[in-house]
Short mmCIF file of all heavy atoms in Angstrom, two decimals:
data_model
loop_
_atom_site.label_atom_id
_atom_site.label_comp_id
_atom_site.label_asym_id
_atom_site.label_seq_id
_atom_site.Cartn_x
_atom_site.Cartn_y
_atom_site.Cartn_z
N SER A 14 7.93 13.63 -16.07
CA SER A 14 6.54 14.06 -15.74
C SER A 14 5.93 13.19 -14.72
O SER A 14 5.30 13.70 -13.76
CB SER A 14 5.69 13.95 -17.09
OG SER A 14 6.25 14.74 -18.13
N LEU A 15 6.02 11.82 -14.87
CA LEU A 15 5.19 10.98 -13.98
C LEU A 15 5.88 9.61 -13.93
O LEU A 15 6.26 9.03 -14.96
CB LEU A 15 3.75 10.87 -14.60
CG LEU A 15 2.82 9.88 -13.86
CD1 LEU A 15 2.54 10.40 -12.48
CD2 LEU A 15 1.57 9.68 -14.65
N GLN A 16 5.87 9.08 -12.73
CA GLN A 16 6.33 7.70 -12.47
C GLN A 16 5.10 6.82 -12.25
O GLN A 16 4.21 7.17 -11.47
CB GLN A 16 7.33 7.62 -11.21
CG GLN A 16 7.67 6.18 -10.89
CD GLN A 16 8.58 6.11 -9.70
OE1 GLN A 16 9.49 7.00 -9.63
NE2 GLN A 16 8.46 5.11 -8.85
N LEU A 17 5.03 5.67 -12.90
CA LEU A 17 3.99 4.73 -12.83
C LEU A 17 4.62 3.46 -12.11
O LEU A 17 5.62 2.99 -12.56
CB LEU A 17 3.43 4.30 -14.11
CG LEU A 17 2.80 5.40 -15.01
CD1 LEU A 17 2.31 4.79 -16.25
CD2 LEU A 17 1.66 6.03 -14.26
N SER A 18 3.95 3.01 -11.02
CA SER A 18 4.50 1.89 -10.23
C SER A 18 3.41 1.07 -9.68
O SER A 18 2.18 1.54 -9.66
CB SER A 18 5.38 2.43 -9.07
OG SER A 18 6.58 3.03 -9.56
N GLY A 19 3.72 -0.08 -9.13
CA GLY A 19 2.80 -1.01 -8.43
C GLY A 19 3.36 -1.51 -7.25
O GLY A 19 3.76 -0.79 -6.28
N HIS A 20 3.56 -2.86 -7.11
CA HIS A 20 4.30 -3.53 -6.06
C HIS A 20 3.69 -3.54 -4.66
O HIS A 20 3.81 -4.52 -3.93
CB HIS A 20 5.72 -2.98 -5.97
CG HIS A 20 6.65 -3.73 -5.15
ND1 HIS A 20 6.89 -5.11 -5.27
CD2 HIS A 20 7.50 -3.37 -4.16
CE1 HIS A 20 7.77 -5.57 -4.43
NE2 HIS A 20 8.17 -4.56 -3.68
N ALA A 21 2.94 -2.46 -4.29
CA ALA A 21 2.51 -2.31 -2.90
C ALA A 21 1.14 -3.02 -2.65
O ALA A 21 0.72 -3.17 -1.48
CB ALA A 21 2.37 -0.86 -2.59
N HIS A 22 0.46 -3.48 -3.75
CA HIS A 22 -0.83 -4.19 -3.56
C HIS A 22 -1.85 -3.40 -2.77
O HIS A 22 -2.64 -3.97 -2.09
CB HIS A 22 -0.59 -5.56 -2.96
CG HIS A 22 0.19 -6.48 -3.78
ND1 HIS A 22 0.32 -7.80 -3.46
CD2 HIS A 22 1.04 -6.21 -4.87
CE1 HIS A 22 1.18 -8.36 -4.36
NE2 HIS A 22 1.60 -7.44 -5.17
N GLY A 23 -1.76 -2.09 -2.77
CA GLY A 23 -2.67 -1.29 -2.06
C GLY A 23 -2.59 -1.29 -0.59
O GLY A 23 -3.50 -0.82 0.09
N GLY A 24 -1.54 -1.95 -0.12
CA GLY A 24 -1.42 -2.14 1.30
C GLY A 24 -2.25 -3.23 1.88
O GLY A 24 -2.39 -3.33 3.12
N GLN A 25 -2.84 -3.96 1.01
CA GLN A 25 -3.64 -5.24 1.27
C GLN A 25 -4.90 -4.90 2.05
O GLN A 25 -6.00 -5.14 1.52
CB GLN A 25 -2.81 -6.29 2.03
CG GLN A 25 -1.69 -6.89 1.23
CD GLN A 25 -2.04 -7.69 0.06
OE1 GLN A 25 -1.24 -7.87 -0.86
NE2 GLN A 25 -3.21 -8.20 0.09
N ILE A 26 -4.85 -4.39 3.28
CA ILE A 26 -6.05 -4.17 4.11
C ILE A 26 -6.15 -2.65 4.29
O ILE A 26 -5.33 -2.03 4.98
CB ILE A 26 -5.91 -4.84 5.45
CG1 ILE A 26 -5.85 -6.36 5.22
CG2 ILE A 26 -7.07 -4.49 6.33
CD1 ILE A 26 -5.60 -7.16 6.50
N ARG A 27 -7.12 -2.02 3.63
CA ARG A 27 -7.28 -0.56 3.66
C ARG A 27 -8.30 -0.03 4.62
O ARG A 27 -8.66 1.18 4.67
CB ARG A 27 -7.52 -0.07 2.23
CG ARG A 27 -6.36 -0.34 1.28
CD ARG A 27 -6.59 0.25 -0.02
NE ARG A 27 -6.54 1.76 -0.13
CZ ARG A 27 -5.44 2.43 -0.22
NH1 ARG A 27 -4.24 1.83 -0.25
NH2 ARG A 27 -5.50 3.78 -0.17
N PHE A 28 -8.84 -0.91 5.43
CA PHE A 28 -9.77 -0.41 6.51
C PHE A 28 -9.39 -1.15 7.78
O PHE A 28 -9.26 -2.40 7.80
CB PHE A 28 -11.21 -0.73 6.20
CG PHE A 28 -12.19 -0.34 7.25
CD1 PHE A 28 -12.62 0.98 7.31
CD2 PHE A 28 -12.62 -1.25 8.18
CE1 PHE A 28 -13.47 1.36 8.35
CE2 PHE A 28 -13.49 -0.85 9.20
CZ PHE A 28 -13.90 0.46 9.27
N PRO A 29 -9.18 -0.40 8.88
CA PRO A 29 -9.28 1.12 9.06
C PRO A 29 -7.98 1.84 8.74
O PRO A 29 -7.83 2.92 9.26
CB PRO A 29 -9.59 1.18 10.49
CG PRO A 29 -8.82 0.11 11.14
CD PRO A 29 -8.78 -1.04 10.15
N PHE A 30 -7.16 1.25 7.93
CA PHE A 30 -5.84 1.95 7.62
C PHE A 30 -5.97 2.65 6.26
O PHE A 30 -5.98 1.93 5.20
CB PHE A 30 -4.69 0.84 7.64
CG PHE A 30 -4.77 -0.14 8.77
CD1 PHE A 30 -5.31 -1.42 8.59
CD2 PHE A 30 -4.38 0.21 9.99
CE1 PHE A 30 -5.42 -2.34 9.63
CE2 PHE A 30 -4.44 -0.60 11.04
CZ PHE A 30 -4.96 -1.92 10.88
N PRO A 31 -5.91 3.89 6.22
CA PRO A 31 -6.25 4.62 4.96
C PRO A 31 -5.20 4.41 3.84
O PRO A 31 -5.51 4.45 2.66
CB PRO A 31 -6.24 6.09 5.35
CG PRO A 31 -5.51 6.21 6.63
CD PRO A 31 -5.76 4.90 7.32
N GLN A 32 -3.94 4.07 4.26
CA GLN A 32 -2.90 3.75 3.21
C GLN A 32 -2.63 2.28 3.20
O GLN A 32 -1.68 1.87 2.51
CB GLN A 32 -1.71 4.61 3.48
CG GLN A 32 -1.72 6.04 3.01
CD GLN A 32 -2.01 6.17 1.57
OE1 GLN A 32 -1.49 5.42 0.76
NE2 GLN A 32 -2.78 7.11 1.16
N GLY A 33 -3.37 1.44 3.95
CA GLY A 33 -3.13 0.07 4.01
C GLY A 33 -2.28 -0.38 5.13
O GLY A 33 -1.63 0.40 5.82
N LEU A 34 -2.28 -1.66 5.38
CA LEU A 34 -1.62 -2.19 6.59
C LEU A 34 -0.13 -2.52 6.31
O LEU A 34 0.75 -2.21 7.11
CB LEU A 34 -2.34 -3.48 7.04
CG LEU A 34 -1.71 -4.23 8.23
CD1 LEU A 34 -1.61 -3.37 9.40
CD2 LEU A 34 -2.50 -5.57 8.46
N ILE A 35 0.12 -3.14 5.17
CA ILE A 35 1.50 -3.62 4.89
C ILE A 35 1.74 -3.70 3.37
O ILE A 35 0.77 -3.97 2.57
CB ILE A 35 1.73 -5.09 5.52
CG1 ILE A 35 3.15 -5.51 5.43
CG2 ILE A 35 0.78 -6.08 4.87
CD1 ILE A 35 3.48 -6.74 6.26
N ALA A 36 2.98 -3.46 3.00
CA ALA A 36 3.33 -3.48 1.60
C ALA A 36 4.75 -3.96 1.46
O ALA A 36 5.64 -3.63 2.30
CB ALA A 36 3.23 -2.11 0.95
N PRO A 37 5.10 -4.80 0.45
CA PRO A 37 6.41 -5.24 0.25
C PRO A 37 7.31 -4.08 -0.07
O PRO A 37 6.95 -3.14 -0.83
CB PRO A 37 6.30 -6.21 -0.96
CG PRO A 37 5.01 -5.85 -1.60
CD PRO A 37 4.16 -5.35 -0.51
N GLY A 38 8.52 -4.05 0.57
CA GLY A 38 9.44 -2.93 0.38
C GLY A 38 9.25 -1.76 1.31
O GLY A 38 10.08 -0.90 1.40
N GLN A 39 8.03 -1.71 1.91
CA GLN A 39 7.68 -0.56 2.77
C GLN A 39 7.33 -0.89 4.19
O GLN A 39 7.28 -0.10 5.08
CB GLN A 39 6.60 0.29 2.15
CG GLN A 39 6.97 0.91 0.80
CD GLN A 39 5.77 1.80 0.29
OE1 GLN A 39 5.52 2.85 0.83
NE2 GLN A 39 5.15 1.30 -0.80
N GLY A 40 6.96 -2.22 4.39
CA GLY A 40 6.62 -2.75 5.68
C GLY A 40 5.23 -2.28 6.21
O GLY A 40 4.36 -2.06 5.39
N LEU A 41 5.09 -2.11 7.51
CA LEU A 41 3.86 -1.76 8.05
C LEU A 41 3.51 -0.29 7.86
O LEU A 41 4.40 0.53 7.85
CB LEU A 41 3.84 -2.02 9.57
CG LEU A 41 3.83 -3.55 9.99
CD1 LEU A 41 4.11 -3.65 11.52
CD2 LEU A 41 2.59 -4.21 9.63
#
């Protein structure tokens, strides 16, 4: 039904980047 996860810390800086600037495992 649903996967629950974290790790990305919201992309750290979410303005002016709607999905965030950087995340571990995903980069910029």
Side-chain angles (χ1 to χ4, degrees):
S14 306
L15 176 67
Q16 173 177 324
L17 302 178
S18 296
H20 191 52
H22 297 192
Q25 296 292 158
I26 298 174
R27 296 185 68 84
F28 179 82
F30 315 102
Q32 284 298 324
L34 175 62
I35 189 170
Q39 299 182 68
L41 289 171

